[in-house]
């Protein structure tokens, strides 16, 4: 899931290297409508919103591998990606098999920032580790890139190397025999 408004974004470029040679479905969160979460966790029911969230979450539940590719905005993930993940609270309440469907999923995290992202992006990696732990998913690899301007990730040889290494890891997973990788970007 990439949350960049740049086309092509540096995080998307890295994601395409990670997914090279693999079949995947790409969803751009900037091309869909996802409303912010309305917290009805303690109400008798949760009103359904009129947006694209439900279709995307059904696709996500079917995936075995999910790749989140996102820039680092102000030392965190962009609002569009945060809103999407926040909506998982709704799914946990109204979708009786959401938690079960998410368990065992393998997560790949790709983050790109311009201000020492290896150090300052660690909070995002930790956040995804906690999300994975909560839902029974596994963060199998993180790729961190340093770039500021669009289409400059090629100036970070370490990120390119890590993306290729992540590609090898994915290709060696038994889940990839039938390609079901998801690349959600926003």
């Amino acid at each position: 899931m990439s949350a960049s408004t740049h086309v092509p974004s540096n995080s998307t470029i890295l994601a395409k290297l990670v997914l090279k040679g693999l079949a995947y479905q790409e969803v751009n969160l900037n091309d869909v409508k996802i409303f912010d979460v309305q917290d009805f966790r303690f109400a008798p029911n949760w009103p359904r919103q009129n947006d694209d969230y439900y279709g995307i979450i059904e696709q996500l539940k079917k995936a075995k591998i999910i790749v989140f590719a996102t820039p680092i905005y102000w030392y965190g993930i962009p609002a569009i990606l945060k809103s999407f993940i926040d909506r998982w609270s709704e799914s946990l309440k109204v979708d009786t098999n959401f938690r079960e469907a998410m368990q065992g999923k393998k997560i790949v995290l790709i983050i790109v920032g311009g201000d020492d992202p290896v150090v300052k992006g660690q909070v995002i990696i930790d956040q995804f580790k906690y999300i994975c732990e909560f839902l029974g998913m596994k963060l199998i690899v993180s790729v961190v890139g340093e770039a500021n301007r669009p289409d400059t990730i090629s100036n970070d040889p370490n990120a390119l190397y890590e993306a290729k290494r992540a590609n090898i890891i994915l290709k060696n997973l038994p889940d990839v025999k039938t390609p079901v990788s998801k690349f959600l970007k926003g």
Side-chain angles (χ1 to χ4, degrees):
M1 188 157 286
S2 171
S4 179
T5 56
H6 294 288
V7 179
S9 75
N10 291 305
S11 54
T12 301
I13 291 167
L14 278 183
K16 290 187 185 276
L17 287 173
V18 168
L19 294 168
K20 188 175 182 178
L22 300 170
Y24 61 91
Q25 182 176 355
E26 184 175 341
V27 177
N28 185 335
L29 289 179
N30 287 304
D31 293 340
V32 297
K33 186 182 345 175
I34 305 281
F35 293 134
D36 290 336
V37 67
Q38 297 176 20
D39 191 353
F40 289 98
R41 287 176 294 157
F42 307 106
N45 59 18
W46 201 305
R48 191 172 173 95
Q49 297 192 60
N50 187 21
D51 65 2
D52 299 315
Y53 172 78
Y54 307 101
I56 295 169
I57 208 68
E58 287 305 314
Q59 292 176 304
L60 195 73
K61 285 170 38 179
K62 294 175 185 170
K64 294 185 194 263
I65 301 166
I66 304 168
V67 177
F68 292 95
T70 183
I72 300 171
Y73 286 171
W74 288 100
Y75 311 101
I77 60 174
I80 193 163
L81 179 55
K82 179 74 168 88
S83 290
F84 179 73
I85 293 171
D86 284 349
R87 290 285 295 278
W88 293 4
S89 295
E90 176 182 350
S91 292
L92 283 166
K93 171 128 184 186
V94 302
D95 184 344
T96 56
N97 77 337
F98 178 74
R99 182 180 292 274
E100 182 182 344
M102 297 302 280
Q103 288 180 356
K105 293 199 182 305
K106 292 173 179 61
I107 305 299
V108 176
L109 178 62
I110 300 164
I111 58 176
V112 177
D115 183 15
D116 196 9
V118 171
V119 172
K120 296 177 180 176
Q122 186 60 48
V123 67
I124 296 171
I125 295 168
D126 290 343
Q127 177 185 17
F128 273 82
K129 284 179 184 175
Y130 295 137
I131 291 167
C132 289
E133 180 182 303
F134 183 76
L135 288 174
M137 303 182 299
K138 182 170 170 112
L139 180 62
I140 59 169
V141 66
S142 299
V143 177
V144 181
E146 184 164 356
N148 235 341
R149 298 191 167 274
D151 204 18
T152 58
I153 194 63
S154 60
N155 297 333
D156 182 349
N158 188 57
L160 299 176
Y161 171 80
E162 290 299 321
K164 290 175 185 170
R165 187 180 69 79
N167 178 262
I168 293 166
I169 290 169
L170 288 178
K171 285 181 176 175
N172 286 316
L173 291 174
D175 303 87
V176 180
K177 299 289 185 234
T178 53
V180 291
S181 301
K182 295 283 183 183
F183 169 49
L184 300 162
K185 71 176 201 170

